Amino acid sequence: MTPRPTDKLDRLLVEELSARHGEPDWMRQVRLQAWEKYQSLSYPTWGPDVSGLDMDKIVPYIQPESQMATSWEQVPPDVRQSFAELGIPQAEEQLLAGVAAQYDSEVVYHRTQEMAAEQGVVFTDLTAALHGEYEPMIRQYFAKLVTPGEHKWAALHTAVWSGGTFVYVPPGVQTALPLQAYYLLNARGAGQFEHTLIIVDEGASLHFIEGCSAPRYNVAALHAGAVEIFVGKSAKIRYSTVENWSRNMYNLNTKKAQAAAGASVEWVSGSFGSMVTELYPATILAGAGAKMSYHGVTLAGSGQNLDTGVKVVARAPQTACTITAQSLADGDGVSTFRASIAMTPEATGSRASIDCQSWQLADQSRSDSIPVLDIRAPQVDVGYEACVGTLDEGIIAYLGSRGLEREQARLALVNGVVDGFAKQLPLEYAVEMANLVTSQMKKANAKN
Amino acid sequence: MGASLQIQNLRVAVGEQSLLAGVNLRLAPGEVYVLLGPNGAGKSTLARTLAGDESLRVTADKFCLNDQDLLPMTANERALAGVFVSWQNPPAITGVTVANLIRISREQLGLAASPWETRRDLLETLKVVGLDGSYADREFNVGFSGGERKKLELAQLLSLAPQLAVLDELDSGLDADAIKILAENLERVRDTQVTMLVITHRTELVKKLRCDRAGVMIRGQIVYEGDQNVIEEIEKDGYTKYFSSKYDSTADR
Amino acid sequence: MPKINDLPAKTWSWTQTGGHGVARLATREHQVAAGQKQQVVQTASDFSLPTKQIWTVAAGAHLQLLQLFVRPGERLVETVIELVGAGASVDIESAYALGSKDFLSLNYVVRVRAPGARAVVNTTGHMYPGARKIWRSTLEFEPGSPGAAGNEHEQVLLLGKPAQNVSAPLVLTHERRVDATHGVQVLTPETGETAFYARARGWTSERLAREVARAQLERVARMIADEGRRARQWDDIQGENI
């Protein structure tokens, strides 16, 4: 079927998407109901201004055959420059820009799949999985955590999702190496509305790494993906993200995990790119003794408004949650930290500990902290402590007297702040992260 | 007048672990009994058992304060019956001042007086145990050293007029001067005929204090009882001889 | 397999904390003149209507606002502090005791608009089963307030399941050279060693909880400068009804 030559984001497009992928009828119904929801919901009244988003530009790039760029020269200069700064070799640059030969992409994709299979893990493209033995499982879980009714972007996502990852870890399987979805996505084209569905069965464990530090470029400027994670009894997941979307992007991703009794969810989340980000990984502690931890770093440079945070709903007894967040703003950037910690009356004996540091690195920058705690359970122990400050001028002066230029000194201090976060990432990410911070702060100060 | 204490075949365990393996102890009213023993012997367990620690599994053929069976009594009920236990590690209680702790404890025990008298008595008591009057309005044990906490335990002993005083390592964390003050105060308490069970593993305090009897606890049992001379022997030779099967029925198992 | 439990019908919304559904607030405006020090004591009876009070604090002036809400019924109080002069400062110390018939909504907004200004918002309180409370505090550092500092903190002691217990300490900074801390502590009565100790001194668990709760109110009452007023407030918070 040839793509319909139209720019309209409408119900017909949703129907066509479903037909093109040959989806089961239930998925088509899910999409259409989500489309209705998208029509009826209004835009959220809080958060960064997204009025600059041109919804019409989205359509052409939903077509799965489209490439993000057909040649390296079409990728804007500052994006190409970013690759160079991050020290990524030419071949990978081309792969990441979507211009690699099909052969290369397929090789990488298959290699990742082989590694997963060796560990007994199902790791595959979500669309393909809809036609296989896991279709009933997907039907049971798809759009049950990130529901269309949640907000307008979630509704849009569920209607027009395209591309994505399905992971199933059978009971008791402890994955030896982290799974990285990035190459998988690129091999299949558009990463705008990708849907990640992960199910970790009882007693199993998984480390999943999403994205990478290289800038991901997309002309349509909207990323409204969704991640749904179901963690079974006593199972464990660590979900690591280092996000560096290009500076024209609206990154409105929705991530949610649900933990059964004794399960554990760890989020490690670094937000550095995009023009606007709204990202609040949410965890539902649904079973007794479930635990979550979150460690996030957000660095907003000039021209960026990064609104990130974390949500927890504890609705079972004896749950625990630990949150550490560092929110930095440089240049004229805005970094906002939001937290929502809710404990229902069933969360007896639960604990929560939240520690947030906000940093304002420049006179024009802005750092806001907006936590809300809603605690209705007895016998709980909840502590939220946060502070806002700036880099210590005394230390900068001291480092100056030891030969560091002001920018070098500031960079050293900022790296010190994010060091604890970097240590939780696999080594290659930690190295790239240092480069990422440098490049962010340079950009911030270039605009000043 | 002090209460009598009768303990026969007291066994205490926590989980699978046995802590007291059949303790026998009889205290006559007004008697001063010193209980010695090495660390880990079970002396503090005995104190906590008497206080009513619900995390312990307790059985006994007899466990009575005067005529009252202590076994079914909660910690609160035992306090009201006249049992006072000074703790080895008293906790800090934020939100409750020293003055309020003692005032309300006295109220609960039926020792209420006018607020002015209570305050005056408290300041006097603090002075007697070696603490400044400013401690009265500080939060209970918050930021207090070990020695200061022990002095407060003594202050409570002096304020709460118990019938049985079980003093668990009241001398730990105290220097020589403080031990002297403690011994003087305990003599005064003794003169009011309160029955006292003084638990310690050091000999400095109990050498100063006249006791009626002294016992040695080894591995969860009182293996030997004697008079004041026991203290001198332990000071000279330590506890080694009490570990032999002549004294310790659990030895050589 | 992990199960999809019956998920909540809606996820938590930021806007749940906003608005009381009250159309009108009685508004009162006050000034603290340059260099003046003022202590103001307020209780539930000062706010029988939903109220917004705006205090403007001039250079070098200091406002200490003491608020006590003991079993207040339904009270909605918005307190806005404008620190407009260099070195202006405010210290808000409040305490509450809420039962099932009470709903307390406190909204503190401190706009720090001058250099060297200082703001403290410190609330302690306890809630019996069925009580309802929303506590919001916003420290907003506007451009032109270098050297300013602020702290906002709430400590809530839960003596049972509250019907509503929301805390939202916000810090908004548009000025780089400021220092702010904010926090919330939600506690429940001591169990374990501390409770055992108190029981071994003849206390009941309820008495211990009530004394710790009373200390939260005494903390504020103790600060009242006027002796007569202090004695009256002190008497009000003794006894069983706190």
PDB file of all heavy atoms in Angstrom, chain A residues 46 140-141 144 258 360 363 367 369 371 373 375 382 384 386 388, chain C residues 2-4 7 14 167 169 171 173 175-176 180 182-184 186:
ATOM      1  N   TRP A  46      -0.213  23.036  32.734  1.00  0.00           N
ATOM      2  CA  TRP A  46       1.001  23.319  33.496  1.00  0.00           C
ATOM      3  C   TRP A  46       2.194  22.857  32.678  1.00  0.00           C
ATOM      4  O   TRP A  46       2.061  22.165  31.684  1.00  0.00           O
ATOM      5  CB  TRP A  46       0.954  22.578  34.834  1.00  0.00           C
ATOM      6  CG  TRP A  46       0.710  21.122  34.676  1.00  0.00           C
ATOM      7  CD1 TRP A  46      -0.498  20.499  34.580  1.00  0.00           C
ATOM      8  CD2 TRP A  46       1.696  20.096  34.501  1.00  0.00           C
ATOM      9  NE1 TRP A  46      -0.331  19.156  34.379  1.00  0.00           N
ATOM     10  CE2 TRP A  46       1.006  18.869  34.319  1.00  0.00           C
ATOM     11  CE3 TRP A  46       3.085  20.083  34.490  1.00  0.00           C
ATOM     12  CZ2 TRP A  46       1.657  17.667  34.140  1.00  0.00           C
ATOM     13  CZ3 TRP A  46       3.732  18.881  34.310  1.00  0.00           C
ATOM     14  CH2 TRP A  46       3.021  17.685  34.135  1.00  0.00           C
ATOM     15  N   GLN A 140      -2.543  -8.486  26.609  1.00  0.00           N
ATOM     16  CA  GLN A 140      -2.879  -8.381  28.023  1.00  0.00           C
ATOM     17  C   GLN A 140      -2.312  -7.107  28.647  1.00  0.00           C
ATOM     18  O   GLN A 140      -2.895  -6.524  29.553  1.00  0.00           O
ATOM     19  CB  GLN A 140      -2.298  -9.606  28.732  1.00  0.00           C
ATOM     20  CG  GLN A 140      -2.922  -9.900  30.065  1.00  0.00           C
ATOM     21  CD  GLN A 140      -2.213 -11.054  30.754  1.00  0.00           C
ATOM     22  OE1 GLN A 140      -1.412 -11.764  30.146  1.00  0.00           O
ATOM     23  NE2 GLN A 140      -2.488 -11.229  32.029  1.00  0.00           N
ATOM     24  N   TYR A 141      -1.161  -6.674  28.146  1.00  0.00           N
ATOM     25  CA  TYR A 141      -0.440  -5.604  28.836  1.00  0.00           C
ATOM     26  C   TYR A 141      -0.395  -4.263  28.110  1.00  0.00           C
ATOM     27  O   TYR A 141      -0.186  -3.239  28.727  1.00  0.00           O
ATOM     28  CB  TYR A 141       1.004  -6.051  29.106  1.00  0.00           C
ATOM     29  CG  TYR A 141       1.082  -7.109  30.176  1.00  0.00           C
ATOM     30  CD1 TYR A 141       1.091  -8.459  29.848  1.00  0.00           C
ATOM     31  CD2 TYR A 141       1.105  -6.758  31.520  1.00  0.00           C
ATOM     32  CE1 TYR A 141       1.125  -9.429  30.828  1.00  0.00           C
ATOM     33  CE2 TYR A 141       1.150  -7.719  32.504  1.00  0.00           C
ATOM     34  CZ  TYR A 141       1.155  -9.063  32.163  1.00  0.00           C
ATOM     35  OH  TYR A 141       1.205 -10.017  33.133  1.00  0.00           O
ATOM     36  N   LYS A 144      -1.903  -0.646  29.192  1.00  0.00           N
ATOM     37  CA  LYS A 144      -2.607  -0.799  30.462  1.00  0.00           C
ATOM     38  C   LYS A 144      -1.940   0.022  31.554  1.00  0.00           C
ATOM     39  O   LYS A 144      -2.523   0.291  32.589  1.00  0.00           O
ATOM     40  CB  LYS A 144      -2.639  -2.288  30.883  1.00  0.00           C
ATOM     41  CG  LYS A 144      -3.399  -3.189  29.944  1.00  0.00           C
ATOM     42  CD  LYS A 144      -4.887  -2.843  29.963  1.00  0.00           C
ATOM     43  CE  LYS A 144      -5.762  -3.968  29.406  1.00  0.00           C
ATOM     44  NZ  LYS A 144      -5.321  -4.496  28.129  1.00  0.00           N
ATOM     45  N   GLN A 258       5.256  -0.875  36.925  1.00  0.00           N
ATOM     46  CA  GLN A 258       4.439  -1.381  38.021  1.00  0.00           C
ATOM     47  C   GLN A 258       5.190  -2.539  38.662  1.00  0.00           C
ATOM     48  O   GLN A 258       5.634  -3.454  37.964  1.00  0.00           O
ATOM     49  CB  GLN A 258       3.080  -1.859  37.511  1.00  0.00           C
ATOM     50  CG  GLN A 258       2.242  -2.450  38.638  1.00  0.00           C
ATOM     51  CD  GLN A 258       0.848  -2.792  38.184  1.00  0.00           C
ATOM     52  OE1 GLN A 258       0.025  -1.919  37.984  1.00  0.00           O
ATOM     53  NE2 GLN A 258       0.588  -4.069  38.022  1.00  0.00           N
ATOM     54  N   GLN A 360      21.647  26.556  40.123  1.00  0.00           N
ATOM     55  CA  GLN A 360      21.564  27.617  39.134  1.00  0.00           C
ATOM     56  C   GLN A 360      22.984  28.014  38.799  1.00  0.00           C
ATOM     57  O   GLN A 360      23.700  28.480  39.663  1.00  0.00           O
ATOM     58  CB  GLN A 360      20.875  28.828  39.735  1.00  0.00           C
ATOM     59  CG  GLN A 360      19.465  28.592  40.115  1.00  0.00           C
ATOM     60  CD  GLN A 360      18.625  29.741  39.660  1.00  0.00           C
ATOM     61  OE1 GLN A 360      17.605  29.552  39.048  1.00  0.00           O
ATOM     62  NE2 GLN A 360      19.072  30.942  39.961  1.00  0.00           N
ATOM     63  N   ASP A 363      23.322  33.623  35.736  1.00  0.00           N
ATOM     64  CA  ASP A 363      22.384  34.643  36.200  1.00  0.00           C
ATOM     65  C   ASP A 363      21.027  34.545  35.519  1.00  0.00           C
ATOM     66  O   ASP A 363      20.006  34.864  36.107  1.00  0.00           O
ATOM     67  CB  ASP A 363      22.966  36.042  35.947  1.00  0.00           C
ATOM     68  CG  ASP A 363      24.090  36.360  36.923  1.00  0.00           C
ATOM     69  OD1 ASP A 363      24.092  35.770  38.020  1.00  0.00           O
ATOM     70  OD2 ASP A 363      24.955  37.180  36.581  1.00  0.00           O
ATOM     71  N   SER A 367      15.896  27.632  38.081  1.00  0.00           N
ATOM     72  CA  SER A 367      15.769  26.279  38.606  1.00  0.00           C
ATOM     73  C   SER A 367      14.617  26.242  39.584  1.00  0.00           C
ATOM     74  O   SER A 367      14.610  26.972  40.568  1.00  0.00           O
ATOM     75  CB  SER A 367      17.084  25.911  39.310  1.00  0.00           C
ATOM     76  OG  SER A 367      17.140  24.543  39.552  1.00  0.00           O
ATOM     77  N   SER A 369      11.669  23.907  41.881  1.00  0.00           N
ATOM     78  CA  SER A 369      11.474  22.628  42.546  1.00  0.00           C
ATOM     79  C   SER A 369      10.024  22.548  42.993  1.00  0.00           C
ATOM     80  O   SER A 369       9.599  23.378  43.791  1.00  0.00           O
ATOM     81  CB  SER A 369      12.371  22.640  43.778  1.00  0.00           C
ATOM     82  OG  SER A 369      13.024  21.475  43.948  1.00  0.00           O
ATOM     83  N   PRO A 371       7.622  19.838  44.459  1.00  0.00           N
ATOM     84  CA  PRO A 371       7.219  18.517  44.937  1.00  0.00           C
ATOM     85  C   PRO A 371       5.830  18.545  45.557  1.00  0.00           C
ATOM     86  O   PRO A 371       5.434  19.541  46.142  1.00  0.00           O
ATOM     87  CB  PRO A 371       8.264  18.228  46.024  1.00  0.00           C
ATOM     88  CG  PRO A 371       8.610  19.580  46.567  1.00  0.00           C
ATOM     89  CD  PRO A 371       8.352  20.598  45.475  1.00  0.00           C
ATOM     90  N   LEU A 373       3.508  15.951  48.030  1.00  0.00           N
ATOM     91  CA  LEU A 373       3.408  14.697  48.765  1.00  0.00           C
ATOM     92  C   LEU A 373       1.971  14.518  49.241  1.00  0.00           C
ATOM     93  O   LEU A 373       1.385  15.433  49.785  1.00  0.00           O
ATOM     94  CB  LEU A 373       4.348  14.701  49.975  1.00  0.00           C
ATOM     95  CG  LEU A 373       5.852  14.670  49.664  1.00  0.00           C
ATOM     96  CD1 LEU A 373       6.395  16.045  49.340  1.00  0.00           C
ATOM     97  CD2 LEU A 373       6.614  14.064  50.810  1.00  0.00           C
ATOM     98  N   ILE A 375       0.107  11.827  51.479  1.00  0.00           N
ATOM     99  CA  ILE A 375       0.397  10.660  52.316  1.00  0.00           C
ATOM    100  C   ILE A 375      -0.811  10.344  53.179  1.00  0.00           C
ATOM    101  O   ILE A 375      -1.177  11.126  54.058  1.00  0.00           O
ATOM    102  CB  ILE A 375       1.613  10.941  53.234  1.00  0.00           C
ATOM    103  CG1 ILE A 375       2.773  11.521  52.444  1.00  0.00           C
ATOM    104  CG2 ILE A 375       2.003   9.702  54.002  1.00  0.00           C
ATOM    105  CD1 ILE A 375       3.386  10.580  51.439  1.00  0.00           C
ATOM    106  N   VAL A 382       8.346   9.264  55.960  1.00  0.00           N
ATOM    107  CA  VAL A 382       8.587   9.958  54.694  1.00  0.00           C
ATOM    108  C   VAL A 382       9.446  11.176  54.956  1.00  0.00           C
ATOM    109  O   VAL A 382       9.133  11.984  55.826  1.00  0.00           O
ATOM    110  CB  VAL A 382       7.254  10.427  54.056  1.00  0.00           C
ATOM    111  CG1 VAL A 382       7.516  11.232  52.799  1.00  0.00           C
ATOM    112  CG2 VAL A 382       6.355   9.242  53.756  1.00  0.00           C
ATOM    113  N   TYR A 384      11.429  14.309  52.826  1.00  0.00           N
ATOM    114  CA  TYR A 384      11.795  15.006  51.585  1.00  0.00           C
ATOM    115  C   TYR A 384      12.689  16.167  51.972  1.00  0.00           C
ATOM    116  O   TYR A 384      12.300  16.998  52.781  1.00  0.00           O
ATOM    117  CB  TYR A 384      10.537  15.521  50.872  1.00  0.00           C
ATOM    118  CG  TYR A 384      10.865  16.448  49.715  1.00  0.00           C
ATOM    119  CD1 TYR A 384      11.111  15.934  48.448  1.00  0.00           C
ATOM    120  CD2 TYR A 384      10.960  17.822  49.896  1.00  0.00           C
ATOM    121  CE1 TYR A 384      11.437  16.770  47.394  1.00  0.00           C
ATOM    122  CE2 TYR A 384      11.288  18.663  48.848  1.00  0.00           C
ATOM    123  CZ  TYR A 384      11.531  18.144  47.597  1.00  0.00           C
ATOM    124  OH  TYR A 384      11.864  18.961  46.561  1.00  0.00           O
ATOM    125  N   ALA A 386      15.415  19.091  50.231  1.00  0.00           N
ATOM    126  CA  ALA A 386      15.938  19.610  48.968  1.00  0.00           C
ATOM    127  C   ALA A 386      16.625  20.927  49.223  1.00  0.00           C
ATOM    128  O   ALA A 386      16.325  21.625  50.189  1.00  0.00           O
ATOM    129  CB  ALA A 386      14.803  19.789  47.969  1.00  0.00           C
ATOM    130  N   VAL A 388      18.552  24.443  47.093  1.00  0.00           N
ATOM    131  CA  VAL A 388      18.804  25.180  45.859  1.00  0.00           C
ATOM    132  C   VAL A 388      20.027  26.039  46.095  1.00  0.00           C
ATOM    133  O   VAL A 388      20.136  26.683  47.131  1.00  0.00           O
ATOM    134  CB  VAL A 388      17.616  26.102  45.523  1.00  0.00           C
ATOM    135  CG1 VAL A 388      17.914  26.912  44.273  1.00  0.00           C
ATOM    136  CG2 VAL A 388      16.353  25.300  45.342  1.00  0.00           C
TER     137      VAL A 388
ATOM    138  N   PRO C   2       3.543 -11.234  36.044  1.00  0.00           N
ATOM    139  CA  PRO C   2       3.078 -10.061  36.811  1.00  0.00           C
ATOM    140  C   PRO C   2       1.652  -9.729  36.414  1.00  0.00           C
ATOM    141  O   PRO C   2       1.286  -9.848  35.254  1.00  0.00           O
ATOM    142  CB  PRO C   2       4.036  -8.948  36.371  1.00  0.00           C
ATOM    143  CG  PRO C   2       4.633  -9.412  35.118  1.00  0.00           C
ATOM    144  CD  PRO C   2       4.618 -10.906  35.113  1.00  0.00           C
ATOM    145  N   LYS C   3       0.872  -9.339  37.395  1.00  0.00           N
ATOM    146  CA  LYS C   3      -0.535  -9.093  37.091  1.00  0.00           C
ATOM    147  C   LYS C   3      -0.781  -7.603  36.909  1.00  0.00           C
ATOM    148  O   LYS C   3      -0.106  -6.773  37.505  1.00  0.00           O
ATOM    149  CB  LYS C   3      -1.396  -9.593  38.252  1.00  0.00           C
ATOM    150  CG  LYS C   3      -1.449 -11.092  38.381  1.00  0.00           C
ATOM    151  CD  LYS C   3      -2.808 -11.505  38.996  1.00  0.00           C
ATOM    152  CE  LYS C   3      -2.926 -13.006  39.191  1.00  0.00           C
ATOM    153  NZ  LYS C   3      -1.859 -13.582  40.006  1.00  0.00           N
ATOM    154  N   ILE C   4      -1.768  -7.311  36.118  1.00  0.00           N
ATOM    155  CA  ILE C   4      -2.235  -5.933  36.095  1.00  0.00           C
ATOM    156  C   ILE C   4      -3.271  -5.840  37.198  1.00  0.00           C
ATOM    157  O   ILE C   4      -4.371  -6.350  37.055  1.00  0.00           O
ATOM    158  CB  ILE C   4      -2.915  -5.592  34.766  1.00  0.00           C
ATOM    159  CG1 ILE C   4      -2.005  -5.925  33.594  1.00  0.00           C
ATOM    160  CG2 ILE C   4      -3.313  -4.138  34.736  1.00  0.00           C
ATOM    161  CD1 ILE C   4      -2.739  -5.930  32.290  1.00  0.00           C
ATOM    162  N   LEU C   7      -5.826  -0.848  38.460  1.00  0.00           N
ATOM    163  CA  LEU C   7      -5.035   0.370  38.535  1.00  0.00           C
ATOM    164  C   LEU C   7      -5.926   1.523  38.978  1.00  0.00           C
ATOM    165  O   LEU C   7      -7.127   1.502  38.762  1.00  0.00           O
ATOM    166  CB  LEU C   7      -4.433   0.666  37.159  1.00  0.00           C
ATOM    167  CG  LEU C   7      -3.477  -0.406  36.661  1.00  0.00           C
ATOM    168  CD1 LEU C   7      -3.116  -0.171  35.223  1.00  0.00           C
ATOM    169  CD2 LEU C   7      -2.223  -0.412  37.517  1.00  0.00           C
ATOM    170  N   TRP C  14      -1.162  17.133  39.315  1.00  0.00           N
ATOM    171  CA  TRP C  14      -0.574  18.270  40.021  1.00  0.00           C
ATOM    172  C   TRP C  14      -1.665  19.223  40.469  1.00  0.00           C
ATOM    173  O   TRP C  14      -1.539  19.890  41.482  1.00  0.00           O
ATOM    174  CB  TRP C  14       0.381  19.033  39.101  1.00  0.00           C
ATOM    175  CG  TRP C  14       1.336  18.150  38.388  1.00  0.00           C
ATOM    176  CD1 TRP C  14       1.361  17.889  37.062  1.00  0.00           C
ATOM    177  CD2 TRP C  14       2.405  17.389  38.963  1.00  0.00           C
ATOM    178  NE1 TRP C  14       2.386  17.023  36.779  1.00  0.00           N
ATOM    179  CE2 TRP C  14       3.024  16.712  37.917  1.00  0.00           C
ATOM    180  CE3 TRP C  14       2.882  17.229  40.267  1.00  0.00           C
ATOM    181  CZ2 TRP C  14       4.113  15.880  38.123  1.00  0.00           C
ATOM    182  CZ3 TRP C  14       3.968  16.405  40.466  1.00  0.00           C
ATOM    183  CH2 TRP C  14       4.568  15.743  39.391  1.00  0.00           C
ATOM    184  N   SER C 167       1.243  17.874  51.127  1.00  0.00           N
ATOM    185  CA  SER C 167       2.297  18.846  51.432  1.00  0.00           C
ATOM    186  C   SER C 167       2.990  19.210  50.132  1.00  0.00           C
ATOM    187  O   SER C 167       3.363  18.318  49.373  1.00  0.00           O
ATOM    188  CB  SER C 167       3.341  18.234  52.369  1.00  0.00           C
ATOM    189  OG  SER C 167       2.745  17.728  53.531  1.00  0.00           O
ATOM    190  N   PRO C 169       5.994  21.855  49.179  1.00  0.00           N
ATOM    191  CA  PRO C 169       6.935  22.966  49.384  1.00  0.00           C
ATOM    192  C   PRO C 169       7.609  23.321  48.054  1.00  0.00           C
ATOM    193  O   PRO C 169       8.404  22.565  47.539  1.00  0.00           O
ATOM    194  CB  PRO C 169       7.953  22.358  50.349  1.00  0.00           C
ATOM    195  CG  PRO C 169       7.926  20.879  50.085  1.00  0.00           C
ATOM    196  CD  PRO C 169       6.610  20.553  49.429  1.00  0.00           C
ATOM    197  N   VAL C 171       9.970  25.752  45.545  1.00  0.00           N
ATOM    198  CA  VAL C 171      10.981  26.809  45.494  1.00  0.00           C
ATOM    199  C   VAL C 171      11.154  27.192  44.030  1.00  0.00           C
ATOM    200  O   VAL C 171      11.408  26.337  43.187  1.00  0.00           O
ATOM    201  CB  VAL C 171      12.330  26.336  46.069  1.00  0.00           C
ATOM    202  CG1 VAL C 171      13.385  27.418  45.887  1.00  0.00           C
ATOM    203  CG2 VAL C 171      12.189  25.981  47.536  1.00  0.00           C
ATOM    204  N   THR C 173      13.268  29.752  41.622  1.00  0.00           N
ATOM    205  CA  THR C 173      14.386  30.697  41.685  1.00  0.00           C
ATOM    206  C   THR C 173      14.654  31.314  40.325  1.00  0.00           C
ATOM    207  O   THR C 173      14.931  30.619  39.348  1.00  0.00           O
ATOM    208  CB  THR C 173      15.671  30.001  42.169  1.00  0.00           C
ATOM    209  OG1 THR C 173      15.880  28.817  41.394  1.00  0.00           O
ATOM    210  CG2 THR C 173      15.583  29.614  43.615  1.00  0.00           C
ATOM    211  N   GLU C 175      16.830  33.933  40.531  1.00  0.00           N
ATOM    212  CA  GLU C 175      18.025  34.673  40.917  1.00  0.00           C
ATOM    213  C   GLU C 175      19.081  33.643  41.303  1.00  0.00           C
ATOM    214  O   GLU C 175      18.799  32.708  42.057  1.00  0.00           O
ATOM    215  CB  GLU C 175      17.689  35.579  42.116  1.00  0.00           C
ATOM    216  CG  GLU C 175      18.888  36.156  42.857  1.00  0.00           C
ATOM    217  CD  GLU C 175      19.758  37.052  41.992  1.00  0.00           C
ATOM    218  OE1 GLU C 175      19.238  38.045  41.451  1.00  0.00           O
ATOM    219  OE2 GLU C 175      20.958  36.746  41.852  1.00  0.00           O
ATOM    220  N   ARG C 176      20.272  33.814  40.735  1.00  0.00           N
ATOM    221  CA  ARG C 176      21.276  32.765  40.910  1.00  0.00           C
ATOM    222  C   ARG C 176      21.828  32.693  42.315  1.00  0.00           C
ATOM    223  O   ARG C 176      21.979  31.645  42.909  1.00  0.00           O
ATOM    224  CB  ARG C 176      22.418  32.984  39.900  1.00  0.00           C
ATOM    225  CG  ARG C 176      23.515  31.944  40.001  1.00  0.00           C
ATOM    226  CD  ARG C 176      24.532  32.109  38.902  1.00  0.00           C
ATOM    227  NE  ARG C 176      25.241  33.386  38.994  1.00  0.00           N
ATOM    228  CZ  ARG C 176      26.383  33.558  39.636  1.00  0.00           C
ATOM    229  NH1 ARG C 176      26.946  32.550  40.268  1.00  0.00           N
ATOM    230  NH2 ARG C 176      26.960  34.733  39.656  1.00  0.00           N
ATOM    231  N   ALA C 180      18.508  28.171  49.303  1.00  0.00           N
ATOM    232  CA  ALA C 180      17.214  27.792  49.854  1.00  0.00           C
ATOM    233  C   ALA C 180      17.217  26.311  50.182  1.00  0.00           C
ATOM    234  O   ALA C 180      17.844  25.513  49.485  1.00  0.00           O
ATOM    235  CB  ALA C 180      16.105  28.093  48.847  1.00  0.00           C
ATOM    236  N   HIS C 182      14.325  23.220  51.457  1.00  0.00           N
ATOM    237  CA  HIS C 182      12.932  22.938  51.776  1.00  0.00           C
ATOM    238  C   HIS C 182      12.771  21.462  52.059  1.00  0.00           C
ATOM    239  O   HIS C 182      13.551  20.640  51.569  1.00  0.00           O
ATOM    240  CB  HIS C 182      11.967  23.440  50.704  1.00  0.00           C
ATOM    241  CG  HIS C 182      12.216  22.920  49.319  1.00  0.00           C
ATOM    242  ND1 HIS C 182      11.208  22.578  48.477  1.00  0.00           N
ATOM    243  CD2 HIS C 182      13.333  22.730  48.610  1.00  0.00           C
ATOM    244  CE1 HIS C 182      11.692  22.188  47.321  1.00  0.00           C
ATOM    245  NE2 HIS C 182      12.986  22.277  47.361  1.00  0.00           N
ATOM    246  N   GLY C 183      11.767  21.133  52.859  1.00  0.00           N
ATOM    247  CA  GLY C 183      11.616  19.734  53.220  1.00  0.00           C
ATOM    248  C   GLY C 183      10.276  19.441  53.842  1.00  0.00           C
ATOM    249  O   GLY C 183       9.553  20.338  54.266  1.00  0.00           O
ATOM    250  N   VAL C 184       9.968  18.168  53.862  1.00  0.00           N
ATOM    251  CA  VAL C 184       8.747  17.692  54.513  1.00  0.00           C
ATOM    252  C   VAL C 184       9.096  16.393  55.227  1.00  0.00           C
ATOM    253  O   VAL C 184       9.819  15.560  54.688  1.00  0.00           O
ATOM    254  CB  VAL C 184       7.641  17.395  53.469  1.00  0.00           C
ATOM    255  CG1 VAL C 184       6.448  16.723  54.141  1.00  0.00           C
ATOM    256  CG2 VAL C 184       7.196  18.653  52.772  1.00  0.00           C
ATOM    257  N   VAL C 186       7.114  13.262  57.229  1.00  0.00           N
ATOM    258  CA  VAL C 186       5.861  12.669  57.687  1.00  0.00           C
ATOM    259  C   VAL C 186       6.233  11.547  58.648  1.00  0.00           C
ATOM    260  O   VAL C 186       6.950  10.616  58.279  1.00  0.00           O
ATOM    261  CB  VAL C 186       5.032  12.105  56.509  1.00  0.00           C
ATOM    262  CG1 VAL C 186       3.731  11.498  57.028  1.00  0.00           C
ATOM    263  CG2 VAL C 186       4.743  13.203  55.502  1.00  0.00           C
TER     264      VAL C 186
END
